[in-house]
Amino acid sequence: MEQKNKNGKDIAILIGCIILLLLGCLAFFSARWYITEFGDTGFDSILYTLFSEMNGTDSAVIMDFMVTALLPALVAFVVLTLLFWAKRGNGDRLYPFTKKRARVLSMVLSLVMLGSAAMTVDLPSYIAYMSQQSTIYQAEYVDPLKAKITFPEEKRNLIYIYLESMENSYMSQEVGGALDHNTMPELTALVQDEENINFSHTDGIGGFYNMTGASWTIGAMVAHTSGIPLKVPIGVDRNEYGQDSFLPGVNSMTNVLADAGYYQTLMVGSDANFGGRKPYFEQHGLNRTFDIFTAREVGIVPPGYFVFWGMEDMHLFDFAKQELTKIAEQEEPFAFTMLTVDTHRTNGYVCKKCIGLWGEQYENVISCSSKQVDDFIRWIKQQDFYENTTIIIAGDHVTMDEGYIERNVADDYERTVYNCFMNTAIDTKYDKNRQFVAADMFPTTLAAIGCEIEGERLGLGTNLFSGKPTLVEEMGLEAFDGELLKTSDYYTKNFFFD
């Protein structure tokens, strides 16, 4: 009986060592893959990805993970398992490890790999911040539905164009970029036009910084429209997050515009459910969503069509023209939001309109996107509704194509996100040498369509037209981000749960 218990204990320890080794291998290679492919987007983005549905993910991303991370992890696991525990036919160990030494070495190596993975994604820093309690929301947050927002007598339409991963690095050094050539001349010309406004971190062309909780698309869209980061509170079950109830306690720009009588739509070229985009907008006052599936239904693309993340931007812009024409015929003012996708990592998607001007595929895709956006803007300007329509073009976040950045952008270059405000209701002299983030786009957008905001703040954002200092300007970016990284019972209680 004693021998039987001993054998059972040995088997349990062996299984535990094998499981720990498998986890170590998976964590080590997965962390390296994530950072290599996406860069340092913050542990919040990793956590959100783990909690989100993966429907609509580009199959190339999944395949890349399987080949670059999963396969090496499994190979390493098999090799190490054989090294520590394999036996010959006669019962002798294949390699000269005693049972005790094999266990110790296996556990040590597993812990080293887990530790390395944690350091790679900066988990210790994340845990250190999460062990602290922030009071930034109690001190600084302004609820949009409790703030006094006055719309102009004649409400202006709004077209908000999110450009996937569009940062100012892609411009030439001569105009404020990081390259020796300009891959986005049309977008550069738009912000150089004196009739348009570019809020900048310099006295030239520039933009806003990535902020904690907004370094990936849905996080950025939440920040742009709600003035807060997107976080996953500790202890929340995966099934509680995203689809059925997406930040139900948050009052966003979509809520504000809905209360003001706007007809609001969102258009993406991928699966709108990916990352929770459709639930977020529809649960906060959006009227209708268009995506790859609705594009198939109306004949923009054939049935079953799917490339990259859904359909190319050239089809998206055709779809946008078609729907905008219909929407503009309605009596109520409209807010039309769209998100491009061709410039998504890695290397972007080459469509039929792309021309090989540059040596890097990603730069050719960026140039193609710049041209298509400009063509779309020219079309809008020819429409009757343009006179009373404000257009905002903004990147969602800086690119996650870490390989491209490492090859082409100097380490000391200050990367910022592109923005351009067109046909705004007001002008400003406070557009240069600003320190700001995506959260500031929320009140600034409402001001651009003529709204007066008492106190000039909504969410954690500041109306940039006003010249009032942003929280980043008051606190510094590092301190501001640090507060967002901390645990906030206020966030969990007031935003995450209704």
Side-chain angles (χ1 to χ4, degrees):
M1 183 60 122
E2 185 177 342
Q3 183 62 38
K4 184 177 181 180
N5 289 338
K6 185 176 184 300
N7 290 339
K9 182 179 180 181
D10 286 344
I11 291 173
I13 293 175
L14 176 61
I15 292 174
C17 288
I18 290 175
I19 291 174
L20 189 62
L21 187 62
L22 177 60
L23 291 175
C25 291
L26 288 173
F28 178 78
F29 285 98
S30 296
R32 288 170 59 87
W33 172 80
Y34 191 92
I35 295 299
T36 300
E37 292 298 314
F38 297 101
D40 185 12
T41 60
F43 194 76
D44 273 316
S45 67
I46 299 175
L47 196 59
Y48 183 82
T49 300
L50 294 174
F51 274 74
S52 301
E53 296 292 336
M54 296 303 290
N55 292 337
T57 305
D58 176 21
S59 58
V61 175
I62 298 174
M63 182 60 66
D64 186 54
F65 171 78
M66 293 177 67
V67 172
T68 312
L70 183 58
L71 181 59
L74 293 178
V75 170
F77 169 70
V78 170
V79 170
L80 291 171
T81 301
L82 292 175
L83 176 66
F84 290 131
W85 290 290
K87 293 183 179 180
R88 295 188 175 91
N90 61 4
D92 293 338
R93 290 183 174 275
L94 189 60
Y95 294 95
F97 289 116
T98 64
K99 182 166 59 177
K100 181 178 180 180
R101 180 173 293 180
R103 290 174 180 173
V104 172
L105 289 175
S106 171
M107 286 189 287
V108 169
L109 182 58
S110 299
L111 293 174
V112 167
M113 288 191 292
L114 288 170
S116 175
M119 295 300 292
T120 298
V121 298
D122 202 20
L123 181 58
S125 176
Y126 179 81
I127 293 174
Y129 274 111
M130 290 299 289
S131 65
Q132 304 174 58
Q133 186 71 222
S134 175
T135 59
I136 190 171
Y137 300 99
Q138 293 93 318
E140 304 292 353
Y141 179 77
V142 178
D143 188 333
L145 293 192
K146 293 181 181 179
K148 184 178 180 181
I149 303 173
T150 305
F151 281 79
E153 183 175 347
E154 183 180 2
K155 296 185 177 74
R156 296 180 66 79
N157 303 314
L158 172 65
I159 297 177
Y160 203 109
I161 306 172
Y162 288 99
L163 302 183
E164 173 64 48
S165 305
M166 192 60 70
E167 60 176 86
N168 295 306
S169 308
Y170 313 143
M171 296 185 296
S172 64
Q173 296 174 15
E174 182 181 1
V175 293
L179 310 179
D180 58 8
H181 53 281
N182 193 347
T183 66
M184 43 189 279
E186 295 84 6
L187 290 176
T188 302
L190 285 177
V191 294
Q192 288 176 325
D193 190 330
E194 292 183 357
E195 294 184 356
N196 302 331
I197 298 170
N198 164 240
F199 290 99
S200 173
H201 65 299
T202 70
D203 57 3
I205 299 174
F208 58 89
Y209 301 107
N210 258 14
M211 62 179 267
T212 292
S215 59
W216 69 106
T217 298
I218 182 58
M221 295 176 96
V222 167
H224 278 247
T225 56
S226 296
I228 62 170
L230 178 56
K231 296 178 68 68
V232 181
I234 292 176
V236 172
D237 183 80
R238 174 190 176 99
N239 294 324
E240 291 183 287
Y241 207 89
Q243 299 299 318
D244 298 327
S245 183
F246 201 119
L247 295 177
V250 165
N251 293 314
S252 72
M253 183 163 62
T254 323
N255 294 114
V256 173
L257 294 179
D259 287 352
Y262 276 72
Y263 181 79
Q264 301 180 81
T265 57
L266 169 69
M267 179 177 286
V268 299
S270 52
D271 180 349
N273 279 301
F274 177 74
R277 295 171 300 186
K278 182 176 181 179
Y280 169 67
F281 281 95
E282 289 191 349
Q283 290 170 24
H284 290 85
L286 192 80
N287 296 98
R288 188 173 179 189
T289 303
F290 302 95
D291 63 2
I292 178 62
F293 303 111
T294 47
R296 293 175 187 169
E297 292 172 5
V298 300
I300 294 293
V301 293
Y305 190 87
F306 198 96
V307 299
F308 201 40
W309 287 84
M311 65 180 181
E312 306 95 319
D313 290 342
M314 65 179 187
H315 296 306
L316 181 73
F317 286 118
D318 286 341
F319 199 9
K321 292 175 184 178
Q322 175 178 298
E323 294 304 326
L324 267 173
T325 301
K326 297 176 184 177
I327 292 169
E329 294 175 352
Q330 300 176 176
E331 292 185 3
E332 60 263 61
F334 67 81
F336 179 85
T337 300
M338 63 184 294
L339 166 69
T340 66
V341 73
D342 284 0
T343 48
H344 202 286
R345 54 83 47 205
T346 300
N347 294 326
Y349 184 83
V350 178
C351 74
K352 295 178 181 178
K353 294 189 175 184
C354 288
I355 301 173
L357 296 173
W358 316 109
E360 291 250 8
Q361 175 178 308
Y362 198 41
E363 293 182 353
N364 291 326
V365 175
I366 292 165
S367 290
C368 186
S369 178
S370 177
K371 177 66 166 60
Q372 289 189 72
V373 172
D374 187 58
D375 289 343
F376 183 55
I377 296 300
R378 291 176 185 275
W379 176 85
I380 293 174
K381 287 184 173 183
Q382 295 172 355
Q383 309 310 305
D384 292 339
F385 63 76
Y386 172 67
E387 183 179 356
N388 193 43
T389 299
T390 294
I391 304 171
I392 298 175
I393 310 170
D396 50 358
H397 50 73
V398 297
T399 185
M400 293 181 179
D401 196 330
E402 188 65 12
Y404 173 80
I405 294 300
E406 287 182 353
R407 292 190 300 272
N408 297 282
V409 179
D411 291 340
D412 60 351
Y413 177 79
E414 203 166 29
R415 295 168 62 194
T416 56
V417 185
Y418 177 91
N419 73 88
C420 180
F421 288 68
M422 305 179 64
N423 202 25
T424 58
I426 57 173
D427 203 351
T428 183
K429 60 180 180 179
Y430 303 108
D431 53 331
K432 302 303 179 186
N433 295 305
R434 304 301 305 269
Q435 303 290 300
F436 64 111
V437 291
D440 298 302
M441 295 294 282
F442 175 22
T444 305
T445 296
L446 290 178
I449 60 174
C451 293
E452 295 181 2
I453 305 167
E454 187 175 51
E456 306 296 358
R457 278 187 175 160
L458 297 173
L460 296 179
T462 302
N463 171 19
L464 297 170
F465 283 96
S466 71
K468 181 172 183 173
T470 66
L471 290 181
V472 173
E473 288 170 334
E474 290 182 350
M475 302 170 60
L477 181 61
E478 185 176 350
F480 177 75
D481 267 343
E483 288 301 311
L484 302 188
L485 277 168
K486 295 177 183 177
T487 296
S488 171
D489 291 339
Y490 184 100
Y491 186 104
T492 304
K493 179 181 178 181
N494 292 279
F495 302 151
F496 194 79
F497 296 109
D498 193 355

